[in-house]
Amino acid sequence: MSSPDPTPSRSAASLARGVTATGWYIATSMAFFLVGTLSVWGVVVLFARGGWRAPVTLIGFPLLSAIVVAATVVLLVRYRRDGDLDDADRPSWRRRFLSVPVIAGVVSSMILGAVAESALLGASLVGATLCVVRWGPGIRWRGVVLLEAGLVVLWFLELARPTPGSDAFLLAFFAIMLPATQALSLWSWDVVLQLDSARRTEARLAAVQERLRLASDLHDLQGHHLQVIALQLELAERMIARDPDAAADQIRLARSSVDEAREGTRALAGRFRGVPLPDELANAADLLRAAGLDVELDVAPDAADAPADVLGPVVRECTTNVLKHGGGQWARLGLRRDGDIWVLSVANDPGPGSAVGAGAGLAGIAHRIGAVGGGVTHTRDDERFEVVVTVPAGGGAR
């Protein structure tokens, strides 16, 4: 088995940062396209069509536009957050579609269309707002296709009435393209998130395969030595009556075999590459969810650089503590980097009669963390128990 290689950790952290950067790039592009569409319409409505003379239009158009943009930004943040949840853990359709940002965006879009005297603009903005809500598989695209057909019809209807200037095509282009662009951007975002999820799953499977390989190597090593020791002791038992010196030699050989087995096991464990810390935290979150807890996981993009040999056992100990002594409804796991310090936090609600934090586990964690120059603090009240572990960024092997 090969020795640990830091390259995969750095590669995983780089990929995680790349996924985050891609998400922000897509979200920013969507927000800018929306702002650009509203800006083009605003210039035409306020100046080419003389809207600046009407106080309702002069004040209402920028104000309503700002509300639509703010609602879209909030929905984009929510879209990214819900992307990390399983289908069963995501908010219900009522919470998604009847939330304040959705209602504010839809109502403001409709009023904005009335202020601009354009049903085309109002319908386009309503569709763009609803696009940013998470729909079921395939529903968004069906809705966008129908919406685009409706927008084309509205465009021809608006062409039938006179409008100052030759801006009809420019305005229609931005209005018609807005929902389709939003939907296409979200589709690409979902693809990136699915690829990242597949990458994390592959990393977990690789860690499981390595553990299975360790188990196989350990079985072979211990099986061989135990068989030799058993034969040596059996031979010593047979010889002890007629040749005590020869029996003593066999006992010494058996003790030597025990030492060899111990050294081989230690060497094998030293060569074993542990589970990366992000996967350790993800496994802990899955275990807690399986126990019926509402779990929130917040892991830094470069968490693979954290000392897994130090913090990994802490994660397992804290998870066991929550499962055995928690008795509550939720748990929060977090790992972040604060300068040259890694901060691991595990929190949960103790529940009635809980004994969480009362055992010797915290003392063991404090001893382990103190050996690398870190620290452990814990707080408890009626509603929350939290353990915070800090270790230097260079502490332990990665």
Side-chain angles (χ1 to χ4, degrees):
M1 188 174 297
S2 60
S3 60
D5 181 6
T7 303
S9 296
R10 290 197 296 267
S11 177
S14 177
L15 285 172
R17 287 192 294 268
V19 170
T20 302
T22 301
W24 281 113
Y25 171 79
I26 293 174
T28 303
S29 300
M30 294 173 64
F32 268 105
F33 191 83
L34 175 61
V35 171
T37 300
L38 291 170
S39 299
V40 170
W41 273 83
V43 169
V44 172
V45 170
L46 293 175
F47 297 101
R49 297 182 180 177
W52 61 273
R53 298 187 183 90
V56 173
T57 305
L58 181 62
I59 298 175
F61 196 96
L63 178 60
L64 292 168
S65 297
I67 295 175
V68 172
V69 173
T72 301
V73 171
V74 172
L75 290 173
L76 284 172
V77 173
R78 181 179 298 176
Y79 191 91
R80 175 64 183 90
R81 182 195 63 195
D82 293 346
D84 293 331
L85 301 177
D86 296 330
D87 292 337
D89 297 329
R90 287 174 182 167
S92 64
W93 70 269
R94 291 181 181 274
R95 291 179 59 188
R96 280 180 284 168
F97 289 93
L98 299 181
S99 62
V100 173
V102 174
I103 295 175
V106 170
V107 172
S108 299
S109 298
M110 296 171 64
I111 299 175
L112 193 59
V115 170
E117 299 181 354
S118 173
L120 174 63
L121 176 62
S124 174
L125 293 175
V126 169
T129 300
L130 294 178
C131 264
V132 192
V133 182
R134 281 198 173 271
W135 297 74
I139 297 179
R140 179 187 290 115
W141 275 111
R142 296 186 184 96
V144 168
V145 170
L146 293 175
L147 176 62
E148 293 295 328
L151 292 178
V152 172
V153 172
L154 288 175
W155 179 38
F156 280 107
L157 292 177
E158 292 198 1
L159 284 177
R161 62 185 181 89
T163 55
S166 58
D167 51 74
F169 177 78
L170 179 63
L171 297 183
F173 173 80
F174 277 96
I176 293 174
M177 288 300 297
L178 179 61
T181 302
Q182 304 290 67
L184 183 61
S185 299
L186 291 175
W187 173 80
S188 60
W189 197 352
D190 287 337
V191 170
V192 171
L193 293 178
Q194 290 175 4
L195 290 175
D196 184 55
S197 176
R199 177 188 62 80
R200 293 196 301 266
T201 302
E202 182 181 8
R204 291 189 198 179
L205 290 176
V208 171
Q209 288 179 337
E210 196 159 6
R211 282 187 167 181
L212 291 175
R213 187 161 58 248
L214 171 68
S216 177
D217 292 345
L218 185 61
H219 175 270
D220 294 341
L221 174 68
Q222 297 288 3
H224 167 72
H225 283 291
L226 289 175
Q227 185 177 15
V228 171
I229 293 170
L231 291 174
Q232 290 168 337
L233 291 177
E234 182 181 355
L235 184 58
E237 184 181 15
R238 292 180 179 180
M239 299 175 62
I240 194 168
R242 66 175 184 271
D243 193 347
D245 292 336
D249 289 338
Q250 293 298 323
I251 293 175
R252 283 192 292 270
L253 289 175
R255 186 174 60 185
S256 177
S257 296
V258 171
D259 293 336
E260 290 179 5
R262 185 168 56 243
E263 291 298 325
T265 302
R266 185 180 295 114
L268 185 62
R271 294 196 304 269
F272 174 61
R273 182 186 307 162
V275 177
L277 201 56
D279 294 333
E280 191 79 64
L281 286 163
N283 291 336
D286 291 341
L287 185 61
L288 294 173
R289 289 192 184 102
L293 275 70
D294 178 17
V295 181
E296 180 178 317
L297 182 62
D298 184 12
V299 180
D302 56 345
D305 292 336
D309 62 324
V310 176
L311 292 178
V314 175
V315 172
R316 293 191 289 271
E317 176 66 29
C318 289
T319 303
T320 302
N321 198 28
V322 172
L323 290 174
K324 290 176 63 177
H325 308 297
Q329 302 296 323
W330 58 264
R332 305 290 182 264
L333 306 176
L335 179 65
R336 59 183 174 85
R337 184 165 183 166
D338 186 5
D340 293 332
I341 300 295
W342 284 103
V343 181
L344 171 69
S345 61
V346 181
N348 68 294
D349 56 332
S354 170
V356 62
L362 287 177
I365 292 175
H367 176 75
R368 175 184 292 272
I369 297 302
V372 296
V376 180
T377 60
H378 67 278
T379 57
R380 174 170 182 165
D381 54 36
D382 293 338
E383 298 181 353
R384 183 183 183 92
F385 176 80
E386 182 174 19
V387 177
V388 178
V389 177
T390 58
V391 296
R398 291 172 175 78

